[in-house]
Amino acid sequence: MSATWDRLRYLSAPVEAGRSETDGDTSAGESSSVDWERLRTLLRSHGLCGYVDSESIAPAAPEVRDWLDDARREQTVRGLGLTETLYGARAVLEEAGVDSLPYKGPVTSVVAYDDVGTRAYADVDLLVGPDDFGPAREALVGAGYEQVERLRGLGEVALRDGRGHVVDLHRSILPRYLPYSLRFDEVWERRSTVDLGNGEVPALDPADRLVVSCVHGTKHCWYRLAWLRDLAALVAANHADDERVRERASALGCRRQVILGTWLADAVYDVTPPPWVERAVRSGDSDLKSVGESLLGRLRGGEARPPSDRDQFRVQWRTLSRWTDRAVYATRVATIPSDADVESVALPASLAPLYRAVRPVRLAVRYGRSRWSDHSADG
């Protein structure tokens, strides 16, 4: 796996992060040692097809080059279609008097790579203010979008347009169970703009973008290499002012999550972390380093697989700085309903708040079954 992993890193690395465009084909991992079929699986699994120049593969594995060309074309077409969906959904919300801010997806792709098709993404994410969430949903449904999820525990709803593209409507840009939040009015006030090819759209401030990227990756245990690739590209390009990122992360209480994400991006893609991150790493935070090494080991292990709820909880818990934050986090995890909680009991909309009672009951039952299973196995 080592030669294949090294080649995966080399082929997908940003030029700015240390990969020379003139490096030879054997600069990272001997060609004869690379499992090219395995490499193809990893490129697809980790969402890296759009980052790799197929010509860099051609001499050693022409069949993989041809497959990659097809995958990139397919991804570009999908990216263009989803970008049109983004413009269409924003037009509906604008007509309804709702401010909406797109993030991730095509916005990050253009900011980091100047192209909507480089990143792989399956839907469009739009952020609106909490008070506008209901009117925004109603406006999209009234315009013909089909609501495919009636409630999400993390403050989202998914709607599908006539072409089958999904718009994820968010009222919070950070998971609601975290002890900190970015208010929509503050994010909107600091917003920048990005041209996706058919006119400018509002976008996150660069410092907000770095922080949100690190929180999102940590939430999902950084199981997809593409997220680290995006972060590495932004860090290598000096996308945001280092001091503003530090201040924003410290104010939100997610400083360790930003350090973790940047440390992993450096470990994989050899970027130069901001000085304050380097100082924090040198300070000897052994627990955070342990988390990073564990996540890096899972990445090296192979295909991108979503972590279990337990793994997500452990990583989030260990990256929070204060015990008071951990207490808030644990309480919210125990009471904010998930999709599975909602699906387990059919309640009318008027009784939706009762899902907060369903959540701890289901957690207790699941924990009890787990303990019983462990006890039976030991016996």
Side-chain angles (χ1 to χ4, degrees), residues 302-320:
E303 297 177 39
R305 292 188 176 88
S308 66
D309 290 346
R310 181 178 297 182
D311 286 341
Q312 285 184 297
F313 178 84
R314 287 174 176 169
V315 169
Q316 294 281 13
W317 177 270
R318 294 174 68 183
T319 55
L320 293 172

Side-chain angles (χ1 to χ4, degrees), residues 118-141:
T118 298
R119 297 185 75 245
Y121 43 96
D123 51 34
V124 168
D125 295 277
L126 287 177
L127 176 70
V128 299
D131 294 339
D132 284 333
F133 185 79
R137 184 196 66 81
E138 293 171 5
L140 289 170
V141 170

Side-chain angles (χ1 to χ4, degrees), residues 16 21 30-31 60 89 100 112 125 135 140 151 157 188 207 242 248 266 277 297 299 304-305 310 329 333 344 363 371:
E16 300 88 343
E21 293 177 308
E30 293 294 331
S31 295
S100 63
D125 295 277
L140 289 170
L151 174 65
V157 65
W188 185 258
D242 293 342
R248 197 72 42 81
D266 180 32
V277 172
L299 279 171
R305 292 188 176 88
R310 181 178 297 182
Y329 171 68
V333 166
S344 68
L363 286 176
R371 293 286 293 175

Side-chain angles (χ1 to χ4, degrees), residues 12-291:
S12 61
V15 172
E16 300 88 343
R19 173 186 169 184
S20 170
E21 293 177 308
T22 59
D23 279 351
D25 192 52
T26 59
S27 62
E30 293 294 331
S31 295
S32 60
S33 302
V34 173
D35 183 339
W36 291 100
E37 284 304 310
R38 179 66 168 161
L39 181 68
R40 171 159 52 180
T41 299
L42 294 177
L43 286 170
R44 173 72 80 180
S45 173
H46 285 279
L48 293 171
C49 295
Y51 305 108
V52 177
D53 178 8
S54 60
E55 290 304 314
S56 62
I57 293 178
E63 69 283 358
V64 177
R65 174 202 61 195
D66 295 340
W67 165 83
L68 185 60
D69 284 339
D70 291 341
R72 288 175 58 138
R73 280 192 292 269
E74 177 185 329
Q75 183 170 303
T76 297
V77 170
R78 181 166 185 80
L80 290 171
L82 284 165
T83 302
E84 290 182 18
T85 293
L86 184 152
Y87 279 114
R90 287 204 71 249
V92 171
L93 297 181
E94 185 175 358
E95 186 175 348
V98 174
D99 291 327
S100 63
L101 191 149
Y103 67 106
K104 296 193 295 187
V107 173
T108 299
S109 195
V110 167
V111 167
Y113 311 110
D114 199 29
D115 178 73
V116 297
T118 298
R119 297 185 75 245
Y121 43 96
D123 51 34
V124 168
D125 295 277
L126 287 177
L127 176 70
V128 299
D131 294 339
D132 284 333
F133 185 79
R137 184 196 66 81
E138 293 171 5
L140 289 170
V141 170
Y145 289 72
E146 176 190 5
Q147 186 169 318
V148 293
E149 292 183 7
R150 67 188 181 94
L151 174 65
R152 281 191 174 187
L154 301 185
E156 307 169 16
V157 65
L159 304 108
R160 185 166 49 217
D161 68 8
R163 293 182 298 177
H165 294 163
V166 172
V167 174
D168 265 358
L169 191 66
H170 301 253
R171 60 186 137 191
S172 174
I173 199 168
L174 299 179
R176 289 196 296 156
Y177 50 71
L178 294 178
Y180 40 80
S181 63
L182 272 171
R183 290 174 47 187
F184 178 80
D185 56 346
E186 295 175 351
V187 172
W188 185 258
E189 182 67 25
R190 291 193 296 262
R191 71 188 183 279
S192 59
T193 59
V194 174
D195 192 337
L196 302 181
N198 194 26
E200 292 187 338
V201 299
L204 291 173
D205 166 80
D208 285 336
R209 182 176 292 110
L210 260 294
V211 171
V212 169
S213 296
C214 289
V215 171
H216 173 265
T218 302
K219 167 193 170 185
H220 294 291
C221 300
W222 291 104
Y223 77 88
R224 294 191 77 195
L225 202 51
W227 298 329
L228 284 177
R229 171 57 165 83
D230 296 338
L231 181 59
L234 295 175
V235 171
N238 296 314
H239 173 68
D241 179 78
D242 293 342
E243 187 60 22
R244 291 184 67 187
V245 172
R246 186 193 66 79
E247 290 175 354
R248 197 72 42 81
S250 298
L252 288 171
C254 58
R255 182 173 176 271
R256 298 180 84 225
Q257 299 199 4
V258 174
I259 294 170
L260 174 64
T262 311
W263 182 89
L264 285 169
D266 180 32
V268 175
Y269 287 121
D270 194 25
V271 297
T272 301
W276 70 272
V277 172
E278 290 187 316
R279 289 194 298 271
V281 172
R282 287 197 303 267
S283 70
D285 189 333
S286 58
D287 190 45
L288 191 61
K289 186 177 181 181
S290 174
V291 173

Side-chain angles (χ1 to χ4, degrees), residues 310 314 362-378:
R310 181 178 297 182
R314 287 174 176 169
R362 291 190 72 249
L363 286 176
V365 170
R366 189 164 61 185
Y367 177 76
R369 288 175 177 171
S370 175
R371 293 286 293 175
W372 174 257
S373 177
D374 292 343
H375 176 74
S376 299
D378 291 340

